[in-house]
Amino acid sequence: MLAILKKEINSFFASPIGYLVIAVFLVLNGLFLWLFKGEFNILDNGFADLSSFFFLAPWILIFLIPAVTMRSFSDEKKQGTLELLVTKPISHLKIVLGKYFGAFILILLALLPTLLYVYTVHQLGNPLGNLDVGSTLGSYFGLLFLVAAYTAIGLFASSITDNQIVAFITAVLLCFIFYIGFQGVAELMSTSFIEQLGMSAHYNSMSRGVIDTRDIFYFLSLTVFFLYITTQNIQVKILQKRDYLNFLLLPLGLLVVNIFGAKHIYERFDLTEDKRYTINEAALQIIDKVDSPIIIDVFLEGEGFPTEFRRLQSETKQLLEEFQAQNRNIQFNFINPIEDEATRDRNMQQLNDRGLIPMQLTVQESGKSSQEVIFPWALASHNDVTVKIPLVKNKIGATQQELVTNSVQHLEYAFADGFSKLINPKRRKVAILRGNNQLEDRYIFDFVKTIGDYYFIAPFTLDSVASNAQKTSKALNEFDLIISAKPTEAFSENEKYVLDQYTMNGGKSLWLLDNVAIEKDSLYNPSGKSVAIPRDLNLTDFFFQYGARINPVLVNDLYSAPITLASGDGSQAQFQHLPWYYSPLVNSENKHAITNNLNLVKFDFSNQIDTLKNKVDKTILLQSSVLTKLDGTPREVSLEMTQQEPNPQAYNKGKQTLAVLLEGKFKSVYEKRIKPFSLENDKELSEPTKMIIIADGDIIKNDVGRNGPQELGFDKWTGQTYGNKEFLLNAVNYLLDDDGLINIRTKEIAVAFLDHKKVAEEKTKWQIVNILLPLVLLGLFGFLFNFIRKKKYAR
């Protein structure tokens, strides 16, 4: 077998045709990947990966491999040496394997120069070396298995004819059918079984950097099958019935092996560094519950997308393919709603009416800028219920690269959350506390409406504590979470005791509190001034026992949102956005599930929180910027601040805590104290529970316009949408999430980009390296090979 293998390699490289075939392969790859403009050009795409190469390579190999294998047996047949070869004291299988491995090694040698592509992307990454090595290695594994199958098919085609051209055409046709043909038939017949018979589905899975034993079994089975029938083809004896029986049993046996392997030997290895193709266990639990089709329409489709958004498009598709592989009831389509000019305006209006707001992008091409409109949304429908799923994760001030990176990171949670709304019935109950002059319904309307998609919502008034404390406590304990949104009247001891026992019984709570009385509206008077005074809610000892204290000071932060003021009278009035340091803009730096990948959160007249030592775990969720100072109260607050230049040296208090999460077992506020009244099943140590304290009641407050409540976090003056709603929704979901779905938000997925500046400066250099250097190396190899060969045979 080794002698045949050496003969194949020697005969290939002894002929100029061999070098020509490899040179054509390298030139085509080099031109498409590094020179020609288009979707395959790695430098123009701007991503630090080789996905373009692994997409293009199978199509070039469809022609390269048949060109290598077409001579294997057809030449032997034409020259009449095949009969002589099969009479040698060597089995037919070893003859086939010798020629097979010879051709396989030749293809490996052709692929070897493509490692220059890996080096190039590694050098041009931003930062240097951000190429995902695991993913690239996995992709090469996939390519090798594809080469193995192509080579076996090429060998078979060569064994059925003595004409090299016929062998070449037959191999190309068979490779094409097995690579893409089955996928086309599957699309026509809407069946996934036929698709799995083709190479494309299995190769696409491996080319992402995911090694799946089902894909390995498939390629090995296909390779074994074609090698077997090639072995039968070269026999000179007449086939017996047993041979035909074996021929029929082999594919059946291989099918059984694939089915058995898929069920009992199934393993999956995600080689990507960030494990982006490993679905979170919480998401898998949701997907496994889907027992009837979920139809997903993705509108992220169209021409002229910037490269960043093409990546978001492909990542969305790959994620949905992972979901579909887990449960075939997940079905999806990519739709371009603005493709047809005749229905463009109508479709855009319909999507707008459903809350799917379009996004306008700037596309840079050939030094020119153009505008493109996309709809970065998906609609998921299940049993006549439809939810919208955002595909873009906005963040104020983010570049398009950062926007897409944040969005890719958010995709799995966005879809899993959407599926959860469709599959899981509401089972948690949330109480909106009343009775202490909390915010009116119209000011919390948008947030209550948002969480209403997940939970049962009901108001709960604590006033009844005075008349029937036992009944009130029992009724409150039926809720899983309580929300107190900016109370302005002090809590009585009776109310505090009921709330304390609610916590002792494992109840969760979200507190949004202002310990300083001051409102923006109070500044809009002729003097532009108001007085901020401490507000006593009678909760200091309450939170002190749990491990936190809200101090009656105002957080004054240089990193803040502007205030919009009018100057001039009547029709001459103009609106100006002016600095306002009592509206901190908070950018979360921790990776907690609540705050990871979060847009800027806007506060208004926030206070500062101290955490105290006890056995309750504390997590700082949000903090002001490092350029912060604390203003004590009472104090006068004036709009004149907008006209004054701040003194940076005064902002020296560093980061101040504005929101904190408490988790664990809480000690009762009334431990070893006289209780306000007698309560059944009184507890002094809680069950494990959670509580979030936010030192700003306005964080939940939406504006109210002429047409009613507006979206929480939307500033009508600047047009910005802050992350208040997402932060509070994450907080509620975290407090009530028993399945751990919210923890998907902690998953970090990094989209690797090239250094655009470096690419622009060194573009020509790397084009030469990747197009000409492989040819130079091939030439050197050919020279050395023939030099050694001539020297050997000259003796």
Side-chain angles (χ1 to χ4, degrees), residues 305-562:
F305 279 12
T307 55
E308 293 90 349
F309 282 84
R310 286 204 299 272
R311 172 49 60 91
L312 177 61
Q313 182 187 52
S314 66
E315 292 285 348
T316 302
K317 184 177 181 181
Q318 289 174 351
L319 177 64
L320 290 174
E321 286 173 348
E322 288 291 325
F323 287 156
Q324 190 176 65
Q326 184 69 23
N327 189 327
R328 287 295 169 181
N329 283 317
I330 306 292
Q331 302 171 14
F332 62 91
N333 307 289
F334 277 72
I335 299 171
N336 183 357
I338 57 178
E339 182 177 23
D340 188 349
E341 290 289 341
T343 60
R344 176 188 176 107
D345 292 339
R346 186 179 69 223
N347 291 343
M348 290 181 68
Q349 186 59 48
Q350 289 177 346
L351 293 174
N352 263 299
D353 293 342
R354 302 189 73 161
L356 278 61
I357 309 301
M359 185 176 185
Q360 196 167 52
L361 303 174
T362 300
V363 182
Q364 298 282 349
E365 188 173 356
S366 302
K368 297 180 180 179
S369 295
S370 60
Q371 298 294 317
E372 290 289 338
V373 175
I374 67 169
F375 282 86
W377 297 88
L379 289 176
S381 302
H382 179 258
N383 294 339
D384 299 324
V385 178
T386 301
V387 298
K388 60 182 183 180
I389 298 172
L391 304 181
V392 164
K393 181 72 176 59
N394 284 308
K395 195 164 189 177
I396 296 171
T399 64
Q400 282 194 174
Q401 286 188 356
E402 293 169 338
L403 195 68
V404 170
T405 299
N406 293 337
S407 301
V408 169
Q409 185 171 316
H410 187 67
L411 278 178
E412 185 176 344
Y413 177 73
F415 278 103
D417 184 54
F419 296 162
S420 180
K421 291 179 187 177
L422 295 172
I423 300 303
N424 291 327
K426 295 180 186 180
R427 61 187 188 277
R428 303 293 186 191
K429 297 172 66 177
V430 178
I432 309 296
L433 292 188
R434 291 281 178 257
N436 298 89
N437 200 26
Q438 281 92 347
L439 287 174
E440 299 175 22
D441 289 345
R442 58 180 177 151
Y443 291 116
I444 60 173
F445 175 84
D446 186 58
F447 183 67
V448 172
K449 178 186 175 185
T450 300
I451 62 174
D453 292 337
Y454 301 82
Y455 312 107
F456 295 108
I457 313 296
F460 191 92
T461 304
L462 288 174
D463 294 347
S464 56
V465 170
S467 58
N468 194 332
Q470 185 71 45
K471 182 179 178 181
T472 303
S473 179
K474 186 176 180 181
L476 186 62
N477 286 335
E478 293 179 0
F479 289 90
D480 301 286
L481 172 71
I482 59 173
I483 299 176
S484 185
K486 196 177 180 179
T488 56
E489 290 184 3
F491 288 77
S492 68
E493 289 299 319
N494 287 359
E495 290 170 341
K496 285 166 56 178
Y497 185 44
V498 167
L499 292 169
D500 174 74
Q501 287 304 299
Y502 170 79
T503 301
M504 295 304 106
N505 283 287
K508 282 87 172 178
S509 52
L510 174 61
W511 295 91
L512 306 105
L513 305 170
D514 279 348
N515 266 14
V516 175
I518 180 70
E519 304 290 339
K520 262 188 184 179
D521 291 346
S522 66
L523 298 172
Y524 301 142
N525 57 57
S527 67
K529 298 177 181 179
S530 186
V531 178
I533 60 174
R535 173 181 285 142
D536 183 13
L537 296 174
N538 194 27
L539 292 175
T540 301
D541 61 334
F542 188 79
F543 292 117
F544 191 92
Q545 178 71 353
Y546 297 155
R549 177 176 59 206
I550 303 176
N551 296 309
V553 295
L554 292 177
V555 174
N556 188 323
D557 191 346
L558 286 184
Y559 190 64
S560 55

Side-chain angles (χ1 to χ4, degrees), residues 618-766:
K618 302 167 191 72
T619 303
I620 305 303
L621 297 177
L622 295 176
Q623 291 180 304
S624 64
S625 79
V626 70
L627 297 174
T628 298
K629 71 174 182 175
L630 299 176
D631 291 343
T633 56
R635 73 180 299 109
E636 182 180 78
V637 177
S638 173
L639 291 177
E640 291 179 0
M641 176 194 286
T642 61
Q643 307 297 327
Q644 298 170 352
E645 190 70 25
N647 178 13
Q649 294 181 354
Y651 290 81
N652 57 8
K653 292 298 183 181
K655 298 178 180 180
Q656 299 297 316
T657 301
L658 306 180
V660 63
L661 165 68
L662 309 178
E663 298 177 279
K665 293 185 177 182
F666 293 72
K667 283 188 177 182
S668 170
V669 177
Y670 292 90
E671 180 189 27
K672 299 177 182 179
R673 285 175 54 182
I674 298 175
K675 277 68 171 178
F677 55 85
S678 178
L679 198 62
E680 293 180 7
N681 301 318
D682 173 87
K683 294 183 178 180
E684 294 191 345
L685 183 66
S686 79
E687 301 173 13
T689 188
K690 307 171 188 176
M691 174 186 297
I692 292 176
I693 304 170
I694 303 171
D696 178 23
D698 291 314
I699 194 174
I700 197 175
K701 184 178 179 181
N702 58 248
D703 288 335
V704 179
R706 293 179 180 178
N707 298 322
Q710 296 183 343
E711 182 181 5
L712 173 59
F714 177 71
D715 185 341
K716 63 181 178 181
W717 301 110
T718 62
Q720 299 281 12
T721 299
Y722 299 106
N724 295 39
K725 180 160 66 173
E726 184 184 6
F727 167 62
L728 293 174
L729 177 60
N730 292 343
V732 170
N733 286 340
Y734 182 83
L735 291 171
L736 293 176
D737 183 22
D738 292 334
D739 300 325
L741 182 63
I742 188 69
N743 290 320
I744 297 176
R745 286 181 46 80
T746 61
K747 186 174 182 178
E748 291 287 334
I749 294 178
V751 179
F753 292 97
L754 297 178
D755 187 327
H756 290 297
K757 183 179 178 182
K758 197 172 183 180
V759 168
E761 293 173 350
E762 303 179 5
K763 189 173 186 177
T764 303
K765 165 189 166 182
W766 292 110

Side-chain angles (χ1 to χ4, degrees), residues 569-589:
D569 298 321
S571 61
Q572 301 299 316
Q574 292 183 337
F575 292 99
Q576 292 180 294
H577 306 311
L578 301 171
W580 185 245
Y581 307 123
Y582 287 127
S583 293
L585 277 183
V586 178
N587 183 23
S588 173
E589 295 179 357

Side-chain angles (χ1 to χ4, degrees), residues 151-212:
T151 305
I153 291 173
L155 216 61
F156 164 73
S158 180
S159 72
I160 61 176
T161 179
D162 60 0
N163 189 308
Q164 293 183 28
I165 303 301
V166 173
F168 174 80
I169 294 173
T170 303
V172 169
L173 182 62
L174 286 174
C175 288
F176 181 84
I177 290 172
F178 272 92
Y179 184 69
I180 201 69
F182 283 102
Q183 182 177 332
V185 174
E187 290 176 358
L188 290 174
M189 300 180 64
S190 299
T191 171
S192 60
F193 174 74
I194 293 179
E195 184 181 11
Q196 293 301 308
L197 296 177
M199 296 185 198
S200 181
H202 298 278
Y203 171 73
N204 289 341
S205 175
M206 297 182 78
S207 66
R208 298 171 303 164
V210 178
I211 305 300
D212 190 321

